[in-house]
Amino acid sequence: MAQTKRKRRTKHRGNAAGVVENRGRTSRPPSPEARKQQRKDQARSQRNARFDRPPSWKAAANRAAITTLLFIVVIVAILRQPLPQAIALGAFMLLLYIPFGYYTDSFFYKRRQQQLGGKRGGKT
């Protein structure tokens, strides 16, 4: 026997803030090629977002600290230097890495902003 009642459709309702949320994709799943393209596009947008952030001293200090730790491990493990000497050399390298990293980031950020300005027809 055929179904006599039509299936009830869900409605888009707003939440407490008044924002209407979409349910998302409810049809067939995307093909493997479409999924691959979506991942590629998402990776590209994340990479561009990372390049568009202005440089900061905090990010440079974090990166310098990680690099310094790796430097100390290499000095102790591979070059067989005593730990206090490696730590002293690491502290010196940390003081060099922080400004070097910041100004390198600053150079690439400024260059990217000029390239984006040129693409959009702005001043270069």
Side-chain angles (χ1 to χ4, degrees), residues 20-79:
V20 176
E21 297 173 350
N22 291 334
R23 290 185 340 162
R25 184 183 185 115
T26 58
S27 61
R28 64 176 169 75
S31 67
E33 295 84 23
R35 261 188 299 213
K36 187 175 180 182
Q37 186 62 38
Q38 284 176 344
R39 283 195 298 265
K40 229 181 207 182
D41 292 341
Q42 185 180 14
R44 182 179 295 121
S45 66
Q46 287 175 346
R47 186 171 45 250
N48 288 338
R50 187 176 70 234
F51 290 150
D52 288 340
R53 277 197 312 252
S56 70
W57 286 101
K58 182 179 179 181
N62 287 338
R63 194 171 31 239
I66 292 168
T67 307
T68 301
L69 288 175
L70 291 174
F71 179 77
I72 291 172
V73 168
V74 167
I75 293 292
V76 171
I78 296 175
L79 299 178

Side-chain angles (χ1 to χ4, degrees), residues 103-119:
Y103 289 116
T104 302
D105 289 347
S106 179
F107 169 76
F108 284 114
Y109 175 75
K110 288 175 186 174
R111 190 175 80 173
R112 173 139 173 94
Q113 294 306 310
Q114 287 176 347
Q115 288 174 349
L116 289 177
K119 276 186 190 175

